[in-house]
Amino acid sequence: TQLLEQSPQFLSIQEGENLTVYCNSSSVFSSLQWYRQEPGEGPVLLVTVVTGGEVKKLKRLTFQFGDARKDSSLHITAAQPGDTGLYLCAGPVSGNTPLVFGKGTRLSVIA
Amino acid sequence: DAGITQSPRHKVTETGTPVTLRCHQTENHRYMYWYRQDPGHGLRLIHYSYGVKDTDKGEVSDGYSVSRSKTEDFLLTLESATSSQTSVYFCAIGREHGYTFGSGTRLTVV
């Protein structure tokens, strides 16, 4: 059973378009994180959201944590080829337990 | 950036041989983790450590053992490698609000 479901699995868009990817669960998480992974490298932390309803912005990326803390979304405005990569969401099942990861959304931005 | 290095970066080994992967950190972090990443499965936890000589199993621990004799080093051993252990292995440090990952070890068991 996958605790964190990410959608879509794959996304290919043109440069300049906007997009949203989703991370959903039937479980409540105390926090959720988003990572980006490029080929041949480990995931790199983008953001951590902690409070239900929280919105965080990182340049053209906007992250939102659902009010019930069961879901999160990542919105990219005016996507660029440099945004290409695998986007992963992750969270601790409870307390200080190790992170569980979703399977990721593979984004390709075409120039 | 946190200093975390994995070695080797690539390895090809034969079925039935023992293999040890090394993770070294310079951040003096208490918590360290080993994950494997496979197509269709994402990142899955193998083992983790919450201090020197303190380790626990993760979701996919069968066939793997770990050791942590020093804060900075966390070793992952495949006692007798099988083809199903062909994967990319990542080490990480951190707590519930964020991990820092190494660059990974691509292991092929033939």
Side-chain angles (χ1 to χ4, degrees):
Chain A
T1 304
Q2 191 73 22
L3 275 175
L4 288 169
E5 297 284 349
Q6 291 191 243
S7 61
Q9 289 186 51
F10 301 95
L11 189 56
S12 180
I13 62 170
Q14 295 291 324
E15 181 177 3
E17 292 183 356
N18 301 332
L19 66 115
T20 302
V21 298
Y22 301 92
C23 175
N24 295 295
S25 178
S26 57
S27 302
V28 175
F29 281 82
S30 58
S31 65
L32 280 179
Q33 299 155 30
W34 286 90
Y35 294 78
R36 181 167 65 209
Q37 184 178 18
E38 299 187 15
E41 296 297 328
V44 175
L45 179 66
L46 295 174
V47 77
T48 300
V49 286
V50 179
T51 305
E54 181 178 7
V55 176
K56 281 192 174 180
K57 293 191 174 184
L58 184 66
K59 296 183 180 177
R60 294 176 294 101
L61 279 59
T62 301
F63 304 86
Q64 185 162 8
F65 200 11
D67 290 341
R69 291 186 287 123
K70 292 182 177 182
D71 56 87
S72 181
S73 63
L74 159 58
H75 181 80
I76 301 179
T77 303
Q80 299 176 1
D83 295 325
T84 293
L86 178 66
Y87 288 82
L88 298 162
C89 68
V93 174
S94 64
N96 297 328
T97 56
L99 299 182
V100 293
F101 285 80
K103 294 182 181 180
T105 292
R106 191 167 296 280
L107 172 65
S108 176
V109 182
I110 302 165
Chain B
D1 287 347
I4 177 168
T5 55
Q6 294 185 233
S7 59
R9 288 297 311 274
H10 302 272
K11 185 171 183 65
V12 179
T13 193
E14 293 186 350
T15 300
T17 60
V19 178
T20 295
L21 308 183
R22 181 178 183 242
C23 179
H24 178 78
Q25 57 134 338
T26 58
E27 300 300 307
N28 199 36
H29 207 289
R30 182 179 170 194
Y31 285 78
M32 299 184 75
Y33 311 85
W34 277 107
Y35 285 84
R36 60 178 290 175
Q37 188 173 36
D38 305 286
H41 290 280
L43 281 159
R44 293 179 292 173
L45 181 68
I46 305 171
H47 281 279
Y48 67 101
S49 171
Y50 45 95
V52 173
K53 298 192 190 312
D54 291 323
T55 64
D56 206 348
K57 296 179 179 181
E59 176 189 359
V60 290
S61 60
D62 286 350
Y64 302 94
S65 62
V66 290
S67 66
R68 192 160 178 209
S69 59
K70 299 185 292 184
T71 298
E72 57 265 37
D73 290 325
F74 191 30
L75 304 180
L76 176 70
T77 297
L78 291 67
E79 301 291 346
S80 177
T82 67
S83 58
S84 65
Q85 294 176 312
T86 291
S87 186
V88 182
Y89 291 85
F90 288 100
C91 176
I93 61 174
R95 288 297 297 276
E96 66 276 14
H97 284 188
Y99 290 180
T100 300
F101 284 84
S103 296
T105 295
R106 181 173 294 275
L107 176 68
T108 303
V109 183
V110 297

